[in-house]
Amino acid sequence: MGTRSLAIPGSLLAVAFAMVALFLAGVQVLTATGRLVLMWMVQATPFLSPSSFFELADVKPEPLLYAVAALLMATLCGAFLIEPKHRTTPVVLLGVLTGIGVATKFTAASLVVIPLVCLRGARERATWAVTAAASFLFITVPPWTEWERSLSFVGRLVAGSGLYGQRLF
């Protein structure tokens, strides 16, 4: 008789992580605002994209990106509830989440704008920027040998050439 594997597929773990992150983000928004409708809006964000159902079914970076964006939102909401002199921990957490998001997928670079706009003062922004850069570098240690190829890929995207840079219409 054969043995059964109890291994959990990576896609299921990623979806579970995204679900927990969305739940925590919703609770944090509800705590910060007291508005149930805002909590639901935050928790429904991934489902506003028609492709999210397909993205969540496979092992792709999107579930992790959904989770990172939800945690980023929850951290921002929590940061506004804390006195400015005690906000170092949320600022560092924002940096870590931003670095993880950009390392997960380059399109998450738009997440960089949110903390820059919401953080107060040069000290908070500098702490966030250093933490985000360190987090990005730490997460991308394994593919450091492929940096040249990665930068070449991004360059082709920006230039509008290659498979992903071609205009189809």
Side-chain angles (χ1 to χ4, degrees), residues 63-130:
L64 180 60
L65 205 52
Y66 293 149
V68 167
L71 292 173
L72 189 81
M73 180 66 67
T75 304
L76 275 173
C77 285
F80 291 125
L81 296 174
I82 299 172
E83 295 279 331
K85 62 182 177 182
H86 300 293
R87 290 199 335 194
T88 305
T89 302
V91 170
V92 168
L93 185 55
L94 284 173
V96 169
L97 291 168
T98 305
I100 291 171
V102 175
T104 301
K105 196 165 183 182
F106 284 128
T107 56
S110 59
L111 292 176
V112 169
V113 175
I114 298 168
L116 280 177
V117 170
C118 293
L119 293 176
R120 300 178 188 135
R123 184 173 169 259
E124 281 189 359
R125 287 187 181 105
T127 303
W128 166 81
V130 167

Side-chain angles (χ1 to χ4, degrees), residues 41-76:
M41 287 175 62
V42 166
Q43 291 177 331
T45 343
F47 306 109
L48 298 176
S49 168
S51 66
S52 68
F53 296 102
F54 301 108
E55 304 294 343
L56 290 171
D58 296 328
V59 178
K60 293 183 176 181
E62 279 75 11
L64 180 60
L65 205 52
Y66 293 149
V68 167
L71 292 173
L72 189 81
M73 180 66 67
T75 304
L76 275 173

Side-chain angles (χ1 to χ4, degrees), residues 29-30 33-43:
V29 168
L30 182 63
T33 65
R35 309 271 318 262
L36 201 57
V37 173
L38 290 177
M39 178 191 80
W40 289 335
M41 287 175 62
V42 166
Q43 291 177 331

